[in-house]
Structures are given as structure tokens and as C-alpha cells.
Amino acid sequence: MPQYEYFCQKCQREVTVPMTISQHDKGGVVCPQCGGRELRPLVGSFFAQTSRKS
Ligand SMILES: [Zn+2]
């Protein structure tokens, strides 16, 4: 499962969120620490753990 890094505005820290691509496309990402939705994507810190070719 791919992991995405975000900066949580509530926690004031970076969090790593594992989720499926379909979940990411829907934008239903929540902070694993506080459950908040105020997450800002960290550009350039995407871990591609999928075999899907682009
Ligand atoms: Zn949080």
C-alpha cells in the first residue's frame, strides 16, 4: 500500500498516512494521530510502493 506524507495542521507535525490509491483519489485522508482532516500534502515525499506503471 502506498504511503503519503502530510503535514497535520492540528498536530503541527508531519504524519505518514498509508492508504490505497482509490482512497487518495477520493481525498478522504485523515490524520492517523488526531483523526483531523486538516492535512497538507508534502510535495516530493511520495513513496511509490506500487507496481503500477505510469
Ligand atoms: Zn493530526
Side-chain angles (χ1 to χ4, degrees), residues 17-36:
V17 185
M19 64 181 153
T20 64
I21 291 176
S22 60
Q23 276 180 306
H24 182 255
D25 287 346
K26 289 177 184 173
V29 53
V30 296
C31 173
Q33 305 294 328
C34 69

Side-chain angles (χ1 to χ4, degrees), residues 2-43:
Q3 295 191 329
Y4 300 85
E5 286 198 338
Y6 291 87
F7 183 86
C8 179
Q9 306 283 4
K10 279 189 177 180
C11 300
Q12 288 293 299
R13 57 167 289 183
E14 297 176 12
V15 294
T16 303
V17 185
M19 64 181 153
T20 64
I21 291 176
S22 60
Q23 276 180 306
H24 182 255
D25 287 346
K26 289 177 184 173
V29 53
V30 296
C31 173
Q33 305 294 328
C34 69
R37 292 179 172 273
E38 297 168 44
L39 298 179
R40 181 162 51 86
L42 294 179
V43 180

